[in-house]
Amino acid sequence: EPEVTQTPSHQVTQMGQEVILRCVPISNHLYFYWYRQILGQKVEFLVSFYNNEISEKSEIFDDQFSVERPDGSNFTLKIRSTKLEDSAMYFCASSESHRGTIYFGEGSWLTVV
Amino acid sequence: QKEVEQDPGPLSVPEGAIVSLNCTYSNSAFQYFMWYRQYSRKGPELLMYTYSSGNKEDGRFTAQVDKSSKYISLFIRDSQPSDSATYLCAMSPLNNAGNMLTFGGGTRLMVKP
């Protein structure tokens, strides 16, 4: 069964450092997303991406965040200068269409120290 | 008022019981309703996807949506210990820019052998 894959599964970084989380969405999907889940809290939407541009973003997705699809398969989330409160599980997801079901990856656990 | 509310549980039931999980929401723009299952430190796994009001059945799972009451339910028949997980409801409005999900906080279910 096709799946969304994410790397790394866990990353520890120092506050102020840049982090790039990588994702390979399901191959025929056209919409890509990043969500995050702080430990013990709700899964929260960060950003959606379609046709090589951001289609929607939440208030969490401020100037320190950016997304990119550098080639035909990868989708990345960059956090420019990490803060302690960025510690969370980051989920990449994809869907075939804007009404399609959203499939999530296993997540990248980011710890900022 | 929170957009999507879900009793956090834990809900503990004996094996074979019928489980009822519920969410209420406040945003009448929500049109798509989903239930995800999440094991500890893993990505959400889609269980059921429904559009607007009504029932949908898939194996041991039945999803119900009552838009007039802003209330959705997931029923699990013949529950198994392997069903022990956190169940997340999620919903989204209809839009052309992507499927931005709003999640409930999740209900932790424990099915005891």
Side-chain angles (χ1 to χ4, degrees):
Chain A
E1 186 176 314
E3 59 180 16
V4 176
T5 57
Q6 290 186 241
T7 54
S9 56
H10 188 197
Q11 182 163 352
V12 181
T13 190
Q14 291 213 327
M15 192 168 53
Q17 294 297 303
E18 176 181 286
V19 160
I20 297 176
L21 304 178
R22 291 182 168 81
C23 168
V24 178
I26 295 173
S27 61
N28 63 331
H29 286 188
L30 300 177
Y31 288 79
F32 314 116
Y33 314 87
W34 285 99
Y35 285 76
R36 80 170 185 191
Q37 187 176 29
I38 295 170
L39 188 63
Q41 297 189 24
K42 291 184 180 184
V43 177
E44 300 173 291
F45 171 79
L46 292 178
V47 66
S48 62
F49 190 87
Y50 169 71
N51 200 26
N52 279 320
E53 60 183 27
I54 290 173
S55 45
E56 281 191 87
K57 60 181 181 178
S58 71
E59 58 192 25
I60 302 168
F61 194 88
D62 60 22
D63 291 345
Q64 71 160 343
F65 291 93
S66 62
V67 289
E68 193 178 30
R69 188 155 162 83
D71 53 42
S73 58
N74 290 286
F75 179 52
T76 63
L77 174 69
K78 183 191 290 186
I79 309 175
R80 248 179 288 280
S81 177
T82 50
K83 304 170 188 168
L84 294 176
E85 54 265 36
D86 293 329
S87 295
M89 182 77 97
Y90 288 82
F91 295 110
C92 176
S94 67
S95 65
E96 197 170 352
S97 72
H98 71 281
R99 297 186 187 185
T101 54
I102 295 180
Y103 295 91
F104 285 79
E106 289 289 273
S108 292
W109 182 250
L110 176 65
T111 302
V112 182
V113 296
Chain B
Q1 185 181 12
K2 294 179 183 177
E3 270 204 298
V4 181
E5 299 210 47
Q6 196 174 358
D7 187 330
L11 177 62
S12 182
V13 301
E15 183 175 353
I18 297 174
V19 174
S20 173
L21 303 165
N22 310 293
C23 284
T24 58
Y25 63 95
S26 58
N27 188 348
S28 56
F30 289 141
Q31 299 283 334
Y32 295 94
F33 304 92
M34 286 134 276
W35 285 95
Y36 286 86
R37 177 172 61 196
Q38 186 178 32
Y39 294 110
S40 182
R41 302 279 183 112
K42 297 289 186 183
E45 174 194 2
L46 181 68
L47 290 174
M48 300 288 284
Y49 176 96
T50 53
Y51 170 66
S52 200
S53 286
N55 290 5
K56 184 175 182 179
E57 188 173 321
D58 184 2
R60 295 186 296 114
F61 299 93
T62 300
Q64 279 186 355
V65 174
D66 182 350
K67 289 189 68 184
S68 62
S69 303
K70 297 191 179 67
Y71 188 88
I72 69 170
S73 301
L74 178 71
F75 298 96
I76 307 174
R77 289 183 296 281
D78 187 25
S79 56
Q80 302 296 311
S82 58
D83 294 328
S84 298
T86 296
Y87 288 79
L88 310 173
C89 64
M91 42 199 81
S92 73
L94 174 64
N95 63 70
N96 293 320
N99 219 340
M100 186 177 87
L101 300 181
T102 300
F103 279 86
T107 298
R108 188 168 152 234
L109 172 67
M110 295 188 295
V111 181
K112 297 186 174 179

